[in-house]
Amino acid sequence: INRPDITDTEMETIMDTIVDSLFCFFVTLGAIPIIRCSRGTAAEMVAVKLDKKLRENLRDARNSLFTGDTLGAGQFSFQRPLLVLVDRNIDLATPLHHTWTYQALVHDVLDFHLNRVILEESSGQESSPAGARPKKKNKKSYDLTAADRFWQKHKGSPFPEVAESVQQELESYRAQEDEVKRLKSIMGLEGEDEGAISMLSDNTAKLTSAVSSLPELLEKKRLIDLHTNVATAVLEHIKARKLDVYFECEEKIMSKSTLDKSLLDMISDPDAGTAEDKMRLFLIYYISSVQLPSEADLEQYKKALTDAGCNLNPLNYIKQWKAFAKMASTPASYGNSAAKSLGLFSLVMNTGSQFVMEGVKNLVLKQQNLPITRILDNLMEMKSNPETDEYRYFDPKMLRGNDSSIPRNKNPFQEAIVFVVGGGNYIEYQNLIDYTKGKQGKRVLYGCSELFNAAQFLKQLSQLGLK
């Protein structure tokens, strides 16, 4: 959408696809939303077209898709949902941010697509004889679905908690398994010993219940193995690339706290992270800074980035964007609380643990709202805020479309759909989920025109920054 050479027809096609998809979504939901969007962005183009499409469908009563049966039969309550359309440009730092929650980490560092993660199995240490072909690495795929209880419970948890939980699950599984083995050995007792016979009758019932719980036990074992493998693969990336240090440093930059180590040192450190990690860190600093670095400082940073093997194209684009955005508004703020380090892990440091976490910081996330969550909060709760006061308001049910930013509805909304035109990520999704946990009875759905991780986003910025 941000390509300078995009033609009007290409832009129309992209917008129409998004509008058609959103229209189908609301027909399926059986609800007509109230639409709010930022001005002067692609999100506004989507809002105008969607409002028109919904309005035209409602006007033709005989052929309307929103009639009797479907309307209100959706899972939503009697109150209409709010649709908040935002543009990716309001917050370019979050998609580049290194992350610390399980689902977002899996998406960031592993091959994770459509709820399936693909891992390469290391083929052990044995070396192949000289001249032989290197062994092909086996690939294993795992589905992380809604049926996976562990995933549903822990996908939004900070990584150290996940590692601890996998370990606890493993220990409870082993205890159950040992119990079944113990009962089996008692059942095999021979001899006429009185004690054995009384134990036998007592244990028959226990064994019956243990055997009946066997399928459940096997499923538990499968999930433990799955998450042990996935979490171990994530942990290897964290250690190899010092992702905990990057995450903590970026949190501090975004919340305007002081850094323990200068940015130049981090970029110049050959042991900390890949070229991509360094570029992400610097772009977050550049996007979040109110006062841009001087030309001399910037040259120094550029040299360090080039020495680290970074492609500077994304920075070229962000510089243009920043110059343009400066005329439009101030940089997005990210709250003022950085992640806190808790020292060493408690349970996971046990010697019997699957996860050797030495050298990895146990960071605890402090709940803070990202820009998109703040915008949603203002619009859902009808708060007056300079950030959202200018948002356009569309009500497709009104006979005459009036362009105003004055909402007719003064009651706070219970349900909302946030849609990001230009791509979204799991960090924002998790932030919205955490936000609704503290709000009784509120429900929020998150959608985007595409779901990308930081590497894919960097690639897009790089294409935009080609001179």
Side-chain angles (χ1 to χ4, degrees):
I1 296 172
N2 291 292
R3 274 200 355 253
D5 58 343
I6 192 166
T7 63
D8 286 356
T9 46
E10 281 179 295
M11 190 66 154
E12 287 290 323
T13 312
I14 295 170
M15 294 296 126
D16 287 342
T17 308
I18 295 174
V19 168
D20 290 348
S21 308
L22 283 170
F23 178 76
C24 296
F25 170 76
F26 284 107
V27 169
T28 310
L29 206 58
I32 296 150
I34 283 168
I35 307 169
R36 301 295 303 268
C37 71
S38 49
R39 290 177 183 270
T41 58
E44 185 179 25
M45 290 171 71
V46 171
V48 171
K49 280 175 175 281
L50 182 63
D51 176 60
K52 183 170 176 247
K53 195 173 175 83
L54 287 165
R55 201 177 284 283
E56 282 170 358
N57 193 267
L58 289 170
R59 194 178 299 140
D60 182 359
R62 284 178 306 177
N63 293 323
S64 173
L65 293 163
F66 294 95
T67 49
D69 301 343
T70 56
L71 206 53
Q75 50 175 335
F76 278 78
S77 62
F78 295 111
Q79 197 196 27
R80 289 164 63 191
L82 169 73
L83 169 64
V84 180
L85 286 166
V86 288
D87 197 276
R88 180 70 276 160
N89 279 322
I90 63 159
D91 172 16
L92 290 182
T94 301
L96 294 165
H97 191 12
H98 284 88
T99 145
W100 201 234
T101 56
Y102 191 27
Q103 185 176 32
L105 264 169
V106 169
H107 189 229
D108 191 12
V109 302
L110 304 178
D111 180 359
F112 182 53
H113 183 58
L114 298 177
N115 293 338
R116 171 169 291 179
V117 63
I118 296 170
L119 298 180
E120 276 194 354
E121 284 190 315
S122 48
S123 48
Q125 292 303 308
E126 74 273 6
S127 54
S128 41
R133 274 191 194 164
K135 282 189 178 171
K136 259 184 83 172
K137 284 191 172 179
N138 289 337
K139 288 199 171 183
K140 264 203 148 167
S141 69
Y142 301 106
D143 288 335
L144 300 171
T145 62
D148 179 339
R149 285 211 310 277
F150 186 89
W151 178 246
Q152 288 306 98
K153 187 176 175 190
H154 294 290
K155 61 184 181 183
S157 307
F159 187 73
E161 266 179 44
V162 175
E164 212 160 288
S165 302
V166 173
Q167 192 57 34
Q168 283 169 344
E169 291 278 327
L170 190 62
E171 280 160 20
S172 89
Y173 166 76
R174 280 180 183 153
Q176 280 176 283
E177 196 180 38
D178 290 347
E179 177 65 4
V180 173
K181 282 180 185 162
R182 191 180 70 80
L183 289 168
K184 277 184 175 171
S185 68
I186 289 172
M187 299 304 274
L189 278 178
E190 286 166 15
E192 303 303 311
D193 185 8
E194 287 287 303
I197 291 170
S198 65
M199 278 172 81
L200 203 63
S201 55
D202 190 27
N203 281 303
T204 310
K206 282 190 186 172
L207 186 67
T208 312
S209 79
V211 169
S212 64
S213 68
L214 212 55
E216 199 182 311
L217 207 58
L218 289 170
E219 174 60 8
K220 197 172 183 180
K221 176 79 171 90
R222 186 187 73 78
L223 291 181
I224 292 168
D225 288 345
L226 184 161
H227 288 287
T228 303
N229 292 343
V230 172
T232 306
V234 170
L235 181 62
E236 280 168 10
H237 277 276
I238 292 175
K239 284 180 166 179
R241 291 161 56 183
K242 297 194 177 169
L243 297 184
D244 49 335
V245 181
Y246 274 94
F247 168 72
E248 190 180 26
C249 184
E250 287 163 4
E251 285 276 300
K252 284 180 175 167
I253 289 172
M254 289 161 88
S255 59
K256 310 277 185 284
S257 313
T258 48
L259 298 179
D260 309 337
K261 189 175 173 184
S262 87
L263 201 61
L264 206 55
D265 289 348
M266 286 249 338
I267 294 168
S268 311
D269 182 355
D271 299 328
T274 59
E276 184 188 281
D277 293 326
K278 294 173 190 215
M279 195 67 203
R280 283 162 65 177
L281 173 70
F282 183 70
L283 287 178
I284 287 172
Y285 158 71
Y286 196 85
I287 291 165
S288 308
S289 55
V290 183
Q291 191 65 48
L292 289 179
S294 66
E295 275 303 313
D297 286 350
L298 191 59
E299 283 309 313
Q300 211 179 348
Y301 281 125
K302 275 183 168 178
K303 185 182 179 311
L305 287 165
T306 313
D307 292 346
C310 298
N311 169 0
L312 294 184
N313 285 345
L315 179 59
N316 296 336
Y317 174 70
I318 294 292
K319 272 179 80 175
Q320 292 166 13
W321 170 82
K322 188 92 174 170
F324 180 71
K326 205 172 179 182
M327 299 185 291
S329 65
T330 52
S333 78
Y334 295 89
N336 52 4
S337 52
K340 292 275 183 285
S341 181
L342 263 192
L344 292 175
F345 291 40
S346 49
L347 246 170
V348 181
M349 291 310 292
N350 290 350
T351 43
S353 170
Q354 295 275 322
F355 301 97
V356 183
M357 284 285 195
E358 277 170 296
V360 176
K361 294 185 177 189
N362 186 5
L363 297 166
V364 176
L365 293 163
K366 283 198 78 175
Q367 182 52 37
Q368 59 194 42
N369 289 341
L370 291 173
I372 283 182
T373 310
R374 272 207 318 277
I375 287 168
L376 173 82
D377 181 49
N378 292 339
L379 296 174
M380 257 184 121
E381 302 293 348
M382 295 289 171
K383 294 177 183 171
S384 177
N385 188 302
E387 209 173 13
T388 48
D389 285 348
E390 278 304 299
Y391 269 49
R392 287 187 67 178
Y393 177 91
F394 296 93
D395 183 349
K397 273 192 170 179
M398 301 293 291
L399 282 173
R400 278 186 300 283
N402 59 339
D403 173 24
S404 79
S405 45
I406 301 152
R408 297 278 171 119
N409 175 4
K410 293 286 182 232
N411 301 328
F413 288 88
Q414 289 305 102
E415 280 125 3
I417 293 104
V418 179
F419 188 85
V420 189
V421 179
N425 53 71
Y426 281 116
I427 306 176
E428 273 169 357
Y429 164 68
Q430 193 55 50
N431 197 247
L432 287 166
I433 299 285
D434 293 341
Y435 162 78
T436 50
K437 280 179 187 164
K439 306 277 179 185
Q440 199 64 41
K442 299 232 183 247
R443 296 175 54 191
V444 176
L445 297 176
Y446 176 78
C448 47
S449 49
E450 61 176 313
L451 187 70
F452 45 51
N453 63 14
Q456 292 158 331
F457 186 54
L458 255 187
K459 199 172 166 187
Q460 288 191 7
L461 292 178
S462 177
Q463 287 163 349
L464 290 169
L466 284 170
K467 282 278 191 285

